[in-house]
């Protein structure tokens, strides 16, 4: 066994217990300090002689010269902090300032936006002006099912005006893989943000992507022109008059009963929507109920009571795992789990889903998923 640790301990103990040795050592150190001080004085005198300026005067002059600069740095920092203060927060999280509220509008308020987009929209409720861009040019097949534009191939964008004069635009664009990057470049060039890039379908041909868009400012027409420029980079067909819908070969009454909410026919599909009950705030702006915060379930009839199901469920983080278990237990496939926005509060997550089966049975599973989330049914024309 080595004796090194004991030797170190004995060394420290000995130095502490010999007061004469400590006194001699301190005296030597004092002499060294005096000698160093004398050398410093000699060096200072030499420096002063060489420069022609006394050192004390030089230091005083330098400090006086730097004072305005240092004061300026402090003032600049103070101005920057005053221009960009940290957001006030409340104990336990959240913002101390109330969010800006949306205001009521009518279609007449959006006439110039409609002209810039090249087609008319409609009011979803009394605040959000919504415009659809169905991709009727695409012939997409997923798991052998021809996908109708109403089921999964529609772009849309909604505009909302706020009490402070700003306008918010949100939505998503359906683009082919060949169109994706050019559309992205145009959106970026017009200051329109992309907040998600993902798929709504599993294995499908041709490849199609969905990019969520977000823009706000005081000029809604400029935003609309940017969106139109991006859409013009796609093969999306021009607007056309709506066709009279044929009957939907589904037991819609039983679907309504299973979901506890009356849906509506949209083209060749049957649709039901639910919106979050909370007030969702995006960058200080309260979103109208249903704007970017809905669960949407769309049934495309396949005959014999069967349907292709597409859509998504909106959740907060604590609800996600329960919803996944419910969907999978009911045989509904998962396409994506992701966000549609970047800064909304509370943070929202979306599961895009796909299934083929008995429409009423699928609706019963969806009802369980709905019951696991904090949503309320939204009638046609009230949501986005």
């Amino acid at each position: 066994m080595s004796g090194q640790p004991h030797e170190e301990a004995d060394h420290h103990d000995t130095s502490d217990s010999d007061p004469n040795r400590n006194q001699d050592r301190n005296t030597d150190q004092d002499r060294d300090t005096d000698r160093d001080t004398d050398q410093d004085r000699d060096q200072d005198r030499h420096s002063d002689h060489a420069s022609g300026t006394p050192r004390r005067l030089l230091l005083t002059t330098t400090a006086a010269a730097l004072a305005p600069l240092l004061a300026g740095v402090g003032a600049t920092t103070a101005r920057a902090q005053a221009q960009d203060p940290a957001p006030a927060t409340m104990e336990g999280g959240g913002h101390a300032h109330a969010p800006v509220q949306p205001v009521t509008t009518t279609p007449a308020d959006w006439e110039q936006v409609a002209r810039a987009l090249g087609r008319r929209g409609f009011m979803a409720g009394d605040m959000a002006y919504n415009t659809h861009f169905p991709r009727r040019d695409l012939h997409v097949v997923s798991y052998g099912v021809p996908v109708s534009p109403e089921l999964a191939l529609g772009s849309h964008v909604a505009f909302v005006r706020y009490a402070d004069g700003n306008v918010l635009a949100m939505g998503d664009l359906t683009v082919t893989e060949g169109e994706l990057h050019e559309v992205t470049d145009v959106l970026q060039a017009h200051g329109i943000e992309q907040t998600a890039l993902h798929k709504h379908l599993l294995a499908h041909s041709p490849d199609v992507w969905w990019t969520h868009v977000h823009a706000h400012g005081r000029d809604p027409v400029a935003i609309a022109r940017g969106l139109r420029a991006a859409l013009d980079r796609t093969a999306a067909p021009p607007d056309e008059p709506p066709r009279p819908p044929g009957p939907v070969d589904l037991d819609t009454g039983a679907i309504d009963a299973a979901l506890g909410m009356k849906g509506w026919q949209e083209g060749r599909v049957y649709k039901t929507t639910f919106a979050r009950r909370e007030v969702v705030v995006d960058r200080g702006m309260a979103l109208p109920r249903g704007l970017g915060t809905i669960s949407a379930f769309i049934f495309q009839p396949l005959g014999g009571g069967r349907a292709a199901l597409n859509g998504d469920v909106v959740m907060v983080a604590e609800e996600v795992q329960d919803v996944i278990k419910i969907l999978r237990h009911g045989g509904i496939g998962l396409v994506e789990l992701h966000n549609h926005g970047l800064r909304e509060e509370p943070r929202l997550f979306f599961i895009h889903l796909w299934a083929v089966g008995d429409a009423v049975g699928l609706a019963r599973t969806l009802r369980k998923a709905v019951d696991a989330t904090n949503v309320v049914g939204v009638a046609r024309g009230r949501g986005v």
Side-chain angles (χ1 to χ4, degrees), residues 274-280 288-295 313-319 323 346-350 370 372-378:
F274 299 81
R276 297 296 303 186
R277 294 177 184 271
E278 306 97 328
V279 175
V280 178
R289 174 168 285 180
L291 179 62
T293 66
I294 66 169
S295 297
V313 185
V314 60
M315 307 154 291
V316 294
E318 293 75 14
E319 299 166 346
V323 170
R347 198 78 170 102
L348 299 179
F349 298 82
F350 294 80
V370 164
T373 63
N374 186 28
V375 296
V376 61
V378 179

Side-chain angles (χ1 to χ4, degrees), residues 4-347:
Q4 184 66 27
H6 296 285
E7 292 172 0
E8 291 178 353
D10 291 344
H11 170 76
H12 293 301
D13 290 344
T14 301
S15 70
D16 292 340
S17 61
D18 190 344
N20 293 329
R21 182 177 301 174
N22 288 337
Q23 184 175 359
D24 294 341
R25 184 179 300 135
N26 292 337
T27 301
D28 294 340
Q29 291 174 347
D30 290 342
R31 291 195 190 98
D32 292 340
T33 301
D34 292 340
R35 189 161 43 248
D36 291 340
T37 302
D38 292 340
Q39 292 174 353
D40 290 340
R41 289 197 193 98
D42 292 341
Q43 290 175 355
D44 290 345
R45 284 194 294 270
H46 176 72
S47 298
D48 292 344
H49 177 73
S51 64
T53 304
R55 190 178 184 210
R56 290 183 182 177
L57 179 58
L58 180 62
L59 292 174
T60 303
T61 305
T62 303
L66 287 175
L69 296 177
L70 295 174
V73 170
T76 301
T77 303
R79 284 195 297 271
Q81 291 174 346
Q83 291 172 356
D84 189 18
T89 58
M90 298 181 296
E91 184 177 355
H95 295 283
H97 303 293
V100 182
Q101 296 297 321
V103 298
T104 299
T105 57
T106 68
D109 297 316
W110 304 105
E111 281 292 334
Q112 292 184 1
V113 168
R115 285 196 289 270
L117 290 174
R119 66 188 64 202
R120 291 197 170 274
F122 60 94
M123 296 301 301
D126 55 5
M127 296 178 181
Y129 178 75
N130 204 348
T131 306
H132 287 173
F133 306 84
R135 293 297 302 262
R136 296 189 184 93
D137 59 303
L138 298 177
H139 303 282
V140 177
V141 177
S142 181
Y143 287 100
V145 176
V147 178
S148 70
E150 299 90 350
L151 179 64
L153 302 177
S155 301
H156 85 278
V157 62
F159 285 78
V160 181
R161 191 177 299 278
Y162 282 83
D164 63 357
N166 279 302
V167 170
L168 170 67
M170 294 175 62
D172 62 343
L173 309 182
T174 306
V175 297
T176 66
E177 193 157 302
E179 298 165 345
L180 174 60
H181 292 106
E182 189 172 0
V183 167
T184 296
D185 293 342
V186 173
L187 291 172
Q188 294 295 316
H190 285 82
I192 298 173
E193 297 181 356
Q194 290 167 277
T195 58
L197 176 62
H198 63 161
K199 289 181 175 289
H200 290 186
L201 299 168
L202 292 171
H204 61 281
S205 177
D207 282 320
V208 180
W209 292 83
W210 286 259
T211 180
H212 285 254
V213 294
H214 181 111
H216 65 87
R218 291 189 173 271
D219 189 350
V221 177
I223 296 172
R225 287 173 181 153
L227 291 167
R228 173 66 180 273
L231 288 164
D232 284 347
R233 299 306 195 276
T234 74
D239 195 18
E240 61 182 49
R243 304 170 185 174
V248 174
D249 184 18
L250 291 171
D251 188 346
T252 57
I255 293 174
D256 291 343
L259 283 169
M261 174 64 194
K262 183 171 179 57
W264 69 92
Q265 182 177 346
E266 189 172 289
R268 292 173 285 174
V269 303
Y270 195 70
K271 185 174 183 178
T272 307
T273 58
F274 299 81
R276 297 296 303 186
R277 294 177 184 271
E278 306 97 328
V279 175
V280 178
V281 178
D282 192 303
R283 308 177 211 204
M285 295 176 285
L287 301 183
R289 174 168 285 180
L291 179 62
T293 66
I294 66 169
S295 297
F297 308 126
I298 309 170
F299 299 84
Q300 177 179 306
L302 300 178
R306 290 169 57 81
L309 170 68
N310 193 236
D312 51 358
V313 185
V314 60
M315 307 154 291
V316 294
E318 293 75 14
E319 299 166 346
V320 171
Q321 302 310 316
D322 287 340
V323 170
I324 290 176
K325 292 174 184 176
I326 291 167
L327 295 176
R328 291 303 302 133
H329 186 73
I332 295 177
L334 311 180
V335 180
E336 296 273 2
L337 167 60
H338 69 149
N339 306 99
H340 285 177
L342 297 178
R343 302 179 183 90
E344 77 280 358
E345 300 175 18
R347 198 78 170 102

